[in-house]
Amino acid sequence: MYAHLYVSPHYDDAALSCGGRIHGQVRQGARVLVVTVCAAPPPPGTPVSAVAAQIHGDAGDGFVARRRAEDAEALRHLGADGRYLDVLDCIYRGSPGAWRYPSLSDVFGPPHPEDEDLVPALADVFDALLLQHPGSVLYAPLGHGGHVDHRIACRAAGRLLGRGRRVVFYEDYPYADETRPHPYGAGDGRLDVRFLAGLRPESVYLDAADVQARCASVAAYRSQIPALFGDAEEAARSIQEFARRRGGGRPAERYWVPEGR
């Protein structure tokens, strides 16, 4: 049975945002499952949008397989298991001439109307997982940075609060770092303050081993490091600095929990 279920919109989000806590939970004997939502590859040889082709670079059709392999390496550093949902990344949704997110500004904008059905569908998937693992806690992104897949995952998890499920929300790193520009130069990172009104912040302090494991797991996502940080050294420096700021000098990650919990 898993005690902790982390919703990762993409292959790297749980490690980027929660790697220290995940490692600490595993170190203390808990079983942790990272559920990657947008894990499905587009069918080989099918057209992709211009923004997807730009992100693929030289990897081409093998891009998602490369990311899956990076994720496996990252989760080994954290000691967590992985589960992958059959959902396409937003950059693959749609068809030639009718891509739902044809540019980066669209990716970091409001969800497309045709994606609205994803919210209740994912809510049911998350709910089923919680029922399969009684007593477990679901951790979901708050949606910093404005990526549509993060927003959809947040809204889906938010529905479970009304069902009495145990849900905790995490700050989407690196988008939540107010000292850094948006990695893709898009989106403003604003959150729905009405949603936050029912939550309170909670700091989780990390041991040096937890911070080190978080940095090592993030470094495994070699395809993402250049766009997010430039290089692995800068990634580690930024992660450690952000963690110290969140903990007032002592490394920490900040989470948001329902009032009264």
Side-chain angles (χ1 to χ4, degrees), residues 243-254:
R244 285 194 294 270
R245 288 202 310 274
R246 279 295 182 258
R250 178 183 172 191
E253 292 170 357
R254 189 168 66 182

Side-chain angles (χ1 to χ4, degrees), residues 5-25:
L5 310 171
Y6 284 82
V7 174
S8 189
H10 306 104
Y11 282 106
D12 53 0
D13 293 309
L16 277 163
S17 305
C18 313
R21 187 175 196 177
I22 292 172
H23 183 264
Q25 289 167 335

